[in-house]
Amino acid sequence: MPRHLCPNCWSDELEWVESKGGGTVHSFSIVHRAPSPVFAANVPYVIAMIELDDGPRMFANVIGPDALGVAIGDRVKLTFEDRGNGVMLPQFERAPG
Amino acid sequence: MANAASLKGAVAIVGVGESDIGKVPHLSGLGLNAQASKRALDDAGLKVKDIDGLLTAYSFTEPYTMLGSSLCEYLGLQPGMCASMVAGGASPGVMLRHAAQAIAMGLAETVLVCAGENRATGFTRDAAVAMLAQVGHPQFEQPYGGLIPGYYAMVARRYMHEYGTTREQLASVAVNTRSHALLNPTAQMKTPLTVEQVLASKLIADPLRMLDCCIISDAAGAFIVTSAERASTLRNKPVYLWGVGEKSTHEHLLCAPSLTHFGAADSGRAAYEMAGVGPRDIDLAQLYDCFTIVPIIELEELGFVERGAGGSFFENGHARIGGKLPVNTHGGMLSHAHAGAAGALFGIVESVRQLRGGQGKRQVEDARLALVHNEGGILSAHCTVILSNQRA
């Protein structure tokens, strides 16, 4: 996740690097019991750890019509979910190959 | 840095106590702590004036800013050492370590360590939602509907993928633990459990089902730590601290270095080193069991079995009382009690009881060395404790 310094060497000379948006499902879970009423209407939904091709790992949902068929090792592609009020949330969809 | 090995045999646990467990609506969280503390003090045969230090953890139901001070205020204590230590489920081991360090340095002589809260009856609906909302990283996990069982489910799935741990093996952990709870009169769960029942319980976060998850209790636990010298003058057989080790690698799962390798290996190594023993010397283990996958991973990381062999160890009954290494002899957090940091603290309470002996059908024969492993967060903070009924 973004931070003020590098957690490996504590260098604070950091720069933003644009991700190419491709990744692989490292692990996932299909949530049947929502943590709060906000997410209750979404169950079952997929939470996942995505290994980005660029290196970092990030947490997100796998969304889309075939999301519930997700498996470890699946290729995924970045997309953005409009949550309203100008919030565009990075998400992932399953990608062929 | 002081020689860590000097803690071995320096202090002992001389009193343990549990509050009433289950639904205890007539007691507040502080009240549960008070009840457990009084029972621990009575067990030790000590007086209130003997306590010169208090350590406690945290409370979701009664989130006082200075929980340690609030508890001292409630108990009428004015100790020279007081703190609230927040390392999630690892807190009890961490508190024992800090109590031991203070006593070994002569900064305190007799420290009360307690934790617990009224999680079963103390929450209003709004408070429960508020608590759930603060779990997970606020920017990078919460917006995705992350939840504690979901994070552990992702660990479970990756572990099953890499090591072949099976769904049935996860269930066997819950069954193993329940069989021990049935022998413990203070355990919250009172009915037998089968693998089939676990597999038929409702899905929470696939692959974890409801009966893979720890229970929710009103409960508090307490223990009293003092110097080995003082311990030898008291009425109970002292249970000495032989080793303790910690490791903290992350808080949020998205920053975990790995989804299969955690800090228990390092905290265990440090504890074994201080104690001068290895996994083969241990007679019983109380392993943190918020979800069924966790004791399997801990069994492996702590060196009791090879990587990938933890599931079959449970499935084949080796973790039962009478087996190769009895695990969670009190019933664990899956079946005895879970109320915040109290869950892991009961592993220490049970180890002390086992090492004193006389636990009836629950007694592990010739128990001399017990290992307790605490973890907090999502396998984030780890503390391993080794206790013995002999000083050296």
Side-chain angles (χ1 to χ4, degrees):
Chain A
M1 61 180 180
R3 51 194 111 183
H4 174 69
L5 48 69
C6 166
N8 293 315
C9 69
W10 278 28
S11 167
D12 57 4
E13 296 183 15
L14 306 183
E15 57 180 5
W16 288 99
V17 176
E18 192 165 329
S19 169
K20 293 190 176 66
T24 305
V25 175
H26 185 68
S27 193
F28 70 96
S29 173
I30 299 175
V31 176
H32 292 261
R33 174 84 185 259
S36 70
V38 176
F39 295 97
N42 298 359
V43 294
Y45 60 90
V46 178
I47 56 173
M49 282 293 175
I50 308 297
E51 294 272 9
L52 294 175
D53 297 341
D54 317 294
R57 183 185 295 158
M58 68 177 284
F59 179 74
N61 300 122
V62 176
I63 59 175
D66 58 350
L68 293 177
V70 67
I72 287 179
D74 276 0
R75 292 290 302 163
V76 289
K77 183 76 188 156
L78 178 71
T79 182
F80 285 91
E81 180 186 349
D82 188 349
R83 287 279 178 96
N85 296 322
V87 176
M88 297 295 283
L89 199 64
Q91 293 282 27
F92 290 86
E93 287 178 336
R94 294 172 76 195
Chain B
M1 202 170 103
N3 178 10
S6 64
L7 279 178
K8 181 181 177 181
V11 305
I13 299 175
V14 294
V16 294
E18 296 176 46
S19 72
D20 295 348
I21 287 170
K23 287 188 175 171
V24 192
H26 62 286
L27 287 179
S28 65
L30 293 180
L32 290 164
N33 277 275
Q35 190 183 50
S37 298
K38 179 174 168 58
R39 289 173 179 174
L41 196 68
D42 290 347
D43 179 49
L46 287 167
K47 304 272 185 246
V48 177
K49 64 174 174 47
D50 295 320
I51 299 170
D52 59 2
L54 177 138
L55 297 176
T56 191
Y58 55 90
S59 172
F60 278 113
T61 55
E62 295 172 9
Y64 292 99
T65 306
M66 298 157 61
L67 186 62
S69 298
S70 298
L71 195 50
C72 285
E73 171 184 278
Y74 187 98
L75 295 168
L77 297 175
Q78 297 181 5
M81 169 189 170
C82 168
S84 337
M85 316 196 94
V86 185
S91 304
V94 172
M95 292 191 286
L96 171 56
R97 174 177 169 148
H98 282 266
Q101 288 166 181
I103 293 164
M105 290 188 73
L107 298 172
E109 189 176 23
T110 303
V111 179
L112 167 64
V113 178
C114 62
E117 48 189 288
N118 49 342
R119 283 219 180 162
T121 64
F123 269 138
T124 64
R125 187 180 173 78
D126 286 350
V129 171
M131 185 207 83
L132 289 166
Q134 67 173 270
V135 172
H137 192 285
Q139 187 178 356
F140 297 108
E141 291 180 336
Q142 285 179 26
Y144 298 102
L147 68 170
I148 298 176
Y151 303 129
Y152 279 96
M154 289 193 289
V155 170
R157 176 156 342 253
R158 187 71 204 180
Y159 218 82
M160 294 162 86
H161 177 77
E162 286 195 24
Y163 297 107
T165 306
T166 67
R167 201 24 286 205
E168 288 74 17
Q169 289 171 347
L170 297 182
S172 73
V173 173
V175 172
N176 179 81
T177 314
R178 180 65 60 87
S179 74
H180 295 164
L182 298 180
L183 304 174
N184 185 355
T186 71
Q188 187 169 329
M189 304 308 279
K190 306 285 188 193
T191 53
L193 185 65
T194 66
V195 167
E196 292 69 30
Q197 285 173 312
V198 179
L199 298 181
S201 63
K202 66 180 175 187
L203 272 170
I204 302 295
D206 189 39
L208 297 180
R209 294 174 177 271
M210 194 182 78
L211 292 173
D212 289 301
C213 306
C214 56
I215 57 177
I216 297 171
S217 317
D218 294 333
F223 58 83
I224 312 267
V225 193
T226 193
S227 64
E229 287 69 31
R230 186 173 203 182
S232 65
T233 68
L234 300 177
R235 69 180 187 197
N236 286 320
K237 183 193 279 187
V239 170
Y240 299 95
L241 177 67
W242 271 31
V244 59
E246 278 182 46
K247 184 76 173 182
S248 185
T249 56
H250 62 278
E251 175 166 0
H252 303 100
L253 192 63
L254 87 155
C255 291
S258 161
L259 260 57
T260 54
H261 288 66
F262 298 96
D266 282 347
S267 70
R269 202 171 295 123
Y272 289 135
E273 195 174 307
M274 188 188 290
V277 302
R280 285 164 194 273
D281 301 310
I282 303 296
D283 299 308
L284 65 140
Q286 317 295 355
L287 306 179
Y288 201 81
D289 61 341
C290 48
F291 298 94
T292 50
I293 183 64
V294 177
I296 292 175
I297 296 174
E298 291 167 341
L299 199 65
E300 298 172 11
E301 293 229 323
L302 293 165
F304 292 113
V305 295
E306 293 293 310
R307 187 69 73 166
S312 60
F313 192 88
F314 279 96
E315 194 169 39
N316 295 329
H318 298 318
R320 296 267 174 121
I321 293 167
K324 288 181 184 170
L325 180 77
V327 173
N328 293 341
T329 51
H330 57 312
M333 290 158 46
L334 289 165
S335 285
H336 169 264
H338 179 46
L345 199 151
F346 290 129
I348 295 174
V349 169
E350 172 69 1
S351 296
V352 169
R353 289 178 173 162
Q354 289 280 350
L355 293 169
R356 285 181 188 167
Q359 297 305 310
K361 285 184 182 168
R362 214 166 81 246
Q363 182 62 46
V364 175
E365 225 173 299
D366 296 327
R368 292 176 170 213
L369 273 176
L371 179 146
V372 186
H373 188 80
N374 295 178
E375 73 82 2
I378 315 297
L379 290 149
S380 317
H382 295 261
C383 187
T384 312
V385 171
I386 296 173
L387 300 170
S388 174
N389 53 18
Q390 293 152 66
R391 188 170 178 187

